[in-house]
Amino acid sequence: MANRRPAKSRAADGASAGPAVILIRPQLAENVGMVARAMLNCGLLDLRLVNPRDGWPNEKAESPSSGAGVVLDGARVFESTRDAVADLQQVYATTARSRYMTKDVTTPRGAAVDMRGFISGGGRAGILFGPEAMGMDNDDVALADTIIEVPLNPAFPSLNLAQAVLLVGYEWFQTADETPERQFRMHNDTRPATKDELVHMFEHLEAELDACGFLRVAEKRPIMVRNIRNLFQRAGLTEQEIRTLRGVIAGLVGGKKG
Amino acid sequence: MANRRPAKSRAADGASAGPAVILIRPQLAENVGMVARAMLNCGLLDLRLVNPRDGWPNEKAESPSSGAGVVLDGARVFESTRDAVADLQQVYATTARSRYMTKDVTTPRGAAVDMRGFISGGGRAGILFGPEAMGMDNDDVALADTIIEVPLNPAFPSLNLAQAVLLVGYEWFQTADETPERQFRMHNDTRPATKDELVHMFEHLEAELDACGFLRVAEKRPIMVRNIRNLFQRAGLTEQEIRTLRGVIAGLVGGKKG
């Protein structure tokens, strides 16, 4: 997906104190790189690796990180999950294989809301991710307060590591993001039309339609006028577009005369 | 992330009539495979390819699809974006480079809600994705009713193709998913404790604490009892755990006596 304004050198500017992402025994350094990219997409910086199989630091992580070096450079390695979560106060585990434990279970959205509240109050949170294509050890899951399960197609729910991190991180980012769900975007040099401009355009159009005979059946005129007004109303026209349409009307009329 | 119950042969069972995913001039067949996987994760089946650079069908897509063959097998190739959207009635474009157009702009969440309503009413919707690492042509964007922008770290928003599809598809799936945001998951053979079981455990503990002298300071007794009750109350104990704790109390008392 395209960038608004790429500025990789300042990529960490968009990051805030978020939860730590803890990868337990990740196998491929490439996957660690893709996780770093997904983290920075979501403004997360604190990456922790428990016994990464391919060793760390690892240059194979660089290219897949697509410029998220700030996350890779800050990554810390731990010898056990217990060590990796030692300073944290609230820990989530992304797994679905913990059926022998009594645990709270939440969604990425539920976890994001909880973490945002907890971290806003000064708390330190983290999220555990198991090795690629494997479940997490039950001993690791036991270190978590809550399990995160991603609601997906139950017949095909398997995500790769970076995608799991992306979905949890995405929900984290949304809890603080203020993008309106709907915006009307215009050129810089225009603005939404006022109702007065719209009605003048309608009157212009209807005068021409009267003149050419399109509205000649008197009993149908009110409903036809209403229908035509409705379709233009629905388009949410700009002031510029009103002028364009008035030009179109004049052009069509002139074309007939010419 | 781990599966609940993988059943790849029936993976399409979890899919419903969702929006089409339209990839415009995708470059790598591997990326098409990863898109197919992300689609099936989210219950989406209708994949359309506009002039895929590497040709189609392409066996390089298979392994990255991780078993989403049902999506790959159903993929259709078109010679133009216009042809690919011909039967659709509502089209979204995932891009942020359309600053010369006057368009509605929404988030993946807003688009998902809109599409769910539109498709429930019998409509056919689709989502355009541009080529990897490139913006979409303005002529392609002009075919869309609405632009989708993903709210992400503005200093590092670039997603790969499959991740963009995943986030939009994830939001689509969430609009129909009924997973509660919080669940309390237990062994099959237990259940949450009743308040009666909890209070009996408290009384057992307090009787032993009276006996051993821990609660001997009379004016402090009420607040100490309340604090101890609160901490156990907060744990949301099961009936099984109440029995375990009563065993722990008896064991500790017996240990002292023994």
Side-chain angles (χ1 to χ4, degrees):
Chain A
M1 187 160 297
N3 297 4
R4 273 181 227 168
R5 197 176 299 180
K8 284 183 182 170
S9 61
R10 296 169 51 242
D13 289 0
S16 58
V21 168
I22 302 140
L23 306 184
I24 302 174
R25 294 182 297 284
Q27 296 174 59
L28 294 168
E30 287 85 347
N31 289 334
V32 177
M34 287 193 283
V35 164
R37 177 183 182 177
M39 286 176 63
L40 196 53
N41 284 151
C42 305
L44 299 176
L45 293 174
D46 186 353
L47 175 59
R48 306 177 182 199
L49 308 174
V50 179
N51 287 328
R53 190 193 66 184
D54 289 354
W56 196 261
N58 191 312
E59 64 183 18
K60 286 183 184 164
E62 279 170 32
S63 167
S65 83
S66 297
V70 63
V71 176
L72 295 179
D73 295 346
R76 286 175 286 167
V77 176
F78 295 87
E79 291 194 356
S80 70
T81 308
R82 178 181 164 163
D83 289 344
V85 302
D87 62 315
L88 303 179
Q89 297 152 328
Q90 190 183 63
V91 174
Y92 295 82
T94 53
T95 178
R97 296 193 186 161
S98 54
R99 53 189 178 277
Y100 301 114
M101 269 179 270
T102 296
K103 282 280 191 195
D104 287 313
V105 180
T106 188
T107 59
R109 196 163 295 174
V113 171
D114 287 349
M115 286 190 293
R116 185 65 70 176
F118 190 74
I119 290 173
S120 296
R124 290 187 299 276
I127 312 153
L128 303 174
F129 293 85
E132 298 94 330
M134 270 187 265
M136 221 177 280
D137 282 358
N138 274 343
D139 286 344
D140 288 335
V141 177
L143 287 166
D145 302 290
T146 305
I147 290 168
I148 299 177
E149 284 180 8
V150 185
L152 289 171
N153 179 353
F156 194 81
S158 176
L159 295 170
N160 73 33
L161 189 53
Q163 285 173 321
V165 170
L166 179 69
L167 287 182
V168 176
Y170 165 80
E171 289 285 10
W172 162 261
F173 193 88
Q174 303 316 300
T175 57
D177 183 71
E178 294 176 354
T179 306
E181 275 202 0
R182 280 160 198 81
Q183 299 172 65
F184 183 57
R185 184 165 305 162
M186 291 156 292
H187 297 248
N188 286 333
D189 53 352
T190 189
R191 53 165 177 77
T194 64
K195 294 307 173 195
D196 189 54
E197 288 161 347
L198 195 63
V199 171
H200 274 105
M201 191 270 281
F202 290 154
E203 289 170 350
H204 176 185
L205 175 60
E206 290 150 18
E208 293 294 355
L209 293 177
D210 279 325
C212 73
F214 183 83
L215 294 174
R216 67 184 172 276
V217 184
E219 66 272 25
K220 287 191 180 167
R221 189 181 187 283
I223 193 167
M224 290 181 75
V225 164
R226 228 165 22 237
N227 288 347
I228 293 166
R229 286 190 176 206
N230 268 335
L231 80 87
F232 284 109
Q233 180 91 28
R234 229 159 45 223
L237 300 168
T238 64
E239 178 271 337
Q240 168 68 56
E241 289 165 341
I242 293 275
R243 280 190 280 132
T244 300
L245 280 171
R246 295 190 72 151
V248 166
I249 296 163
L252 292 172
V253 171
K256 266 188 206 158
K257 285 176 185 165
Chain B
M1 186 159 294
N3 298 2
R4 276 183 224 167
R5 198 174 299 178
K8 284 183 183 171
S9 60
R10 296 169 51 241
D13 290 1
S16 58
V21 169
I22 302 139
L23 306 184
I24 302 174
R25 296 183 294 286
Q27 296 176 58
L28 293 169
E30 287 85 347
N31 288 336
V32 178
M34 288 195 282
V35 164
R37 176 183 184 177
M39 286 175 62
L40 195 53
N41 285 151
C42 305
L44 300 176
L45 292 175
D46 186 353
L47 175 59
R48 307 178 181 197
L49 308 174
V50 179
N51 287 329
R53 190 194 65 184
D54 288 355
W56 196 262
N58 192 312
E59 63 182 18
K60 285 183 185 165
E62 279 171 29
S63 167
S65 83
S66 297
V70 64
V71 177
L72 295 179
D73 295 346
R76 286 175 286 168
V77 176
F78 295 86
E79 290 194 358
S80 70
T81 307
R82 179 182 163 163
D83 290 342
V85 302
D87 63 316
L88 303 178
Q89 297 152 328
Q90 191 183 63
V91 174
Y92 295 82
T94 53
T95 178
R97 296 194 186 160
S98 55
R99 53 188 177 278
Y100 301 114
M101 268 179 271
T102 295
K103 283 279 192 195
D104 286 312
V105 180
T106 188
T107 60
R109 195 164 295 173
V113 171
D114 287 348
M115 287 191 293
R116 184 66 70 178
F118 190 75
I119 290 173
S120 297
R124 291 186 299 277
I127 312 153
L128 303 173
F129 293 86
E132 297 94 330
M134 268 186 266
M136 219 177 281
D137 281 358
N138 274 343
D139 285 343
D140 288 335
V141 177
L143 287 165
D145 302 290
T146 306
I147 290 168
I148 299 177
E149 285 181 9
V150 186
L152 289 171
N153 179 353
F156 194 82
S158 176
L159 294 170
N160 73 34
L161 189 52
Q163 285 174 320
V165 171
L166 179 69
L167 288 182
V168 176
Y170 165 80
E171 289 284 11
W172 161 260
F173 193 88
Q174 304 315 301
T175 57
D177 183 72
E178 294 176 353
T179 307
E181 275 203 0
R182 282 162 198 77
Q183 299 172 66
F184 183 55
R185 185 166 302 165
M186 291 157 291
H187 298 246
N188 286 332
D189 54 352
T190 191
R191 54 166 176 75
T194 65
K195 294 307 174 194
D196 189 54
E197 288 162 347
L198 195 64
V199 170
H200 275 105
M201 190 271 281
F202 289 153
E203 289 171 349
H204 177 185
L205 175 61
E206 290 151 17
E208 293 294 356
L209 293 178
D210 279 326
C212 75
F214 183 82
L215 294 174
R216 67 184 171 276
V217 184
E219 66 272 25
K220 288 191 181 167
R221 189 181 187 283
I223 193 165
M224 290 180 76
V225 164
R226 226 162 28 234
N227 288 347
I228 292 167
R229 287 190 175 205
N230 268 336
L231 79 89
F232 284 109
Q233 182 90 27
R234 227 160 45 225
L237 299 169
T238 64
E239 178 271 338
Q240 168 68 56
E241 288 165 340
I242 293 276
R243 282 190 280 130
T244 300
L245 279 172
R246 295 189 72 151
V248 166
I249 296 164
L252 292 172
V253 170
K256 266 187 203 157
K257 285 175 183 164

